[in-house]
Amino acid sequence: MEFEALNPNLYAQVLDELELIPSTKPYQILFYGSRERGDYHHDSDLNFYLVAHSTDQMKSQFIDSISRALQKLEDVAPVNMIAGDADSLRHRLKISEPGSVQLLEASSIFFGEGIFEDLKADWDKWKEREIPKSDLIQYLEKRIRFFKQQVTRNVKDEIAQLERITTLTLHIWALQNIEDLTHIELLKMDTPDQLVPLFTNLYRKELEAPIWELLELQTKVRKLKVDIRWKRDVSREDIHETKYKLISLRNDEEFMMNLWA
């Protein structure tokens, strides 16, 4: 872990604080993304995934305590944490959902023990099967509907909403149009810096004009997401333009009504 080498005392403080947080069931924190892989750049953030029992996740104090502990690492880079329970993660693994594939194939254990190891044993068996494309497409379409219906509270939420819908739309296109899709490709699709190169290099012959435009939009949304995370100025006009472009490419009148309601 790069930040451990940069500031071992800070890393130790975070672990000590996590040890003191009470929980009903054991929990684990996974570290993933470019900082974990080592191919990060100046704008890369620190990505964590909290695997905790649903009983603990319902306690706001539990989530807040973990977030506060991890926030100490903001001295290195912005911290991003997502939370989920082992059962839902296991379900996502069964259908080869790209985000869960990345967690099992390209993450390390930051804190805790037991949960990841059991998931890894299951995943090592499941990944030998063919990707269940129809089940995965159905799940991803459901996720798009979820993000479309979200009420955004601020600019950061708006950008995150656009980023997820754009990314998931590209995932679905690949599942529908690439016959020999692999789990490694699914992993790359959930890696922001690798998604566009994957499409433009490996799927170039299959790409049509709307997908090229969607990839350009993905790059723009990615930059907006990085800028807002690092607290740089973001143009409201850029966000509006991006929304309209996404609506046009998806031919999605219902989404337009939800966005501007």
Side-chain angles (χ1 to χ4, degrees), residues 11-40:
Y11 174 60
Q13 289 176 30
V14 173
L15 292 186
D16 288 343
E17 195 164 324
L18 291 172
E19 289 279 4
L20 298 175
I21 296 174
S23 61
T24 305
K25 301 281 187 178
Y27 69 92
Q28 226 166 358
I29 299 175
L30 307 179
F31 178 47
Y32 69 100
S34 60
R35 293 272 178 176
E36 196 279 336
R37 293 190 305 270
D39 60 352
Y40 65 94

Side-chain angles (χ1 to χ4, degrees), residues 30-36 47-49 80 82 102-103 106-107:
L30 307 179
F31 178 47
Y32 69 100
S34 60
R35 293 272 178 176
E36 196 279 336
N47 291 295
F48 297 94
Y49 192 94
N80 178 46
I82 301 173
Q102 177 172 182
L103 286 174
S107 70

Side-chain angles (χ1 to χ4, degrees), residues 23-223:
S23 61
T24 305
K25 301 281 187 178
Y27 69 92
Q28 226 166 358
I29 299 175
L30 307 179
F31 178 47
Y32 69 100
S34 60
R35 293 272 178 176
E36 196 279 336
R37 293 190 305 270
D39 60 352
Y40 65 94
H41 47 73
H42 176 71
D43 286 337
S44 299
D45 52 11
L46 295 165
N47 291 295
F48 297 94
Y49 192 94
L50 168 65
V51 188
H53 194 271
S54 56
T55 304
D56 288 316
Q57 290 195 56
M58 289 179 1
K59 302 173 184 175
S60 59
Q61 186 176 0
F62 172 74
I63 298 293
D64 290 345
S65 296
I66 292 177
S67 295
R68 283 196 301 272
L70 293 176
Q71 289 301 315
K72 294 182 182 297
L73 298 170
E74 290 273 357
D75 287 353
V76 177
V79 171
N80 178 46
M81 186 188 79
I82 301 173
D85 63 84
D87 288 341
S88 62
L89 186 53
R90 185 174 281 105
H91 168 71
R92 289 163 54 198
L93 285 170
K94 283 184 178 180
I95 59 173
S96 299
E97 186 269 329
S100 62
V101 171
Q102 177 172 182
L103 286 174
L104 269 292
E105 290 285 344
S107 70
S108 59
I109 299 172
F110 181 83
F111 177 85
E113 58 185 17
I115 305 173
F116 179 82
E117 293 82 354
D118 290 342
L119 289 169
K120 181 69 173 172
D122 288 339
W123 172 239
D124 286 342
K125 293 181 294 185
W126 293 333
K127 70 181 180 181
E128 299 302 323
R129 307 174 306 176
E130 289 188 7
I131 296 170
K133 288 187 176 182
S134 60
D135 290 342
L136 181 52
I137 289 171
Q138 184 177 7
Y139 174 84
L140 296 178
E141 288 177 339
K142 182 178 179 181
R143 294 302 293 166
I144 287 179
R145 290 194 296 272
F146 168 79
F147 286 113
K148 282 167 54 178
Q149 293 167 2
Q150 276 191 326
V151 177
T152 55
R153 298 165 296 178
N154 49 49
V155 172
K156 183 178 179 181
D157 285 351
E158 289 182 79
I159 294 171
Q161 181 191 48
L162 293 172
E163 191 269 338
R164 292 314 302 157
I165 293 173
T166 306
T167 300
L168 292 171
T169 301
L170 289 167
H171 290 179
I172 291 172
W173 178 88
L175 287 162
Q176 292 173 332
N177 292 274
I178 307 301
E179 293 185 5
D180 56 346
L181 205 62
T182 68
H183 285 105
I184 295 300
E185 289 167 62
L186 290 179
L187 188 155
K188 290 179 180 293
M189 284 183 205
D190 196 64
T191 306
D193 291 340
Q194 296 179 17
L195 186 151
V196 173
L198 172 69
F199 275 66
T200 56
N201 295 329
L202 198 58
Y203 309 150
R204 175 176 291 273
K205 292 182 180 179
E206 289 87 352
L207 298 183
E208 298 179 349
I211 302 303
W212 282 105
E213 293 182 66
L214 196 60
L215 289 168
E216 292 178 5
L217 192 65
Q218 168 70 17
T219 301
K220 184 174 183 178
V221 173
R222 173 65 180 161
K223 183 180 183 303

Side-chain angles (χ1 to χ4, degrees), residues 216-257:
E216 292 178 5
L217 192 65
Q218 168 70 17
T219 301
K220 184 174 183 178
V221 173
R222 173 65 180 161
K223 183 180 183 303
L224 289 171
K225 187 175 180 179
V226 170
D227 286 343
I228 199 69
R229 188 165 291 167
W230 284 87
K231 300 179 181 179
R232 299 172 186 146
D233 291 335
V234 173
S235 167
R236 172 61 66 175
E237 291 182 2
D238 282 344
I239 297 175
H240 288 181
E241 180 183 338
T242 303
K243 284 183 179 180
Y244 279 122
K245 186 67 174 178
L246 178 58
I247 291 165
S248 174
L249 289 171
R250 287 180 49 84
N251 192 26
D252 199 336
E253 295 182 4
E254 179 187 359
F255 182 35
M256 180 175 66
M257 294 175 64

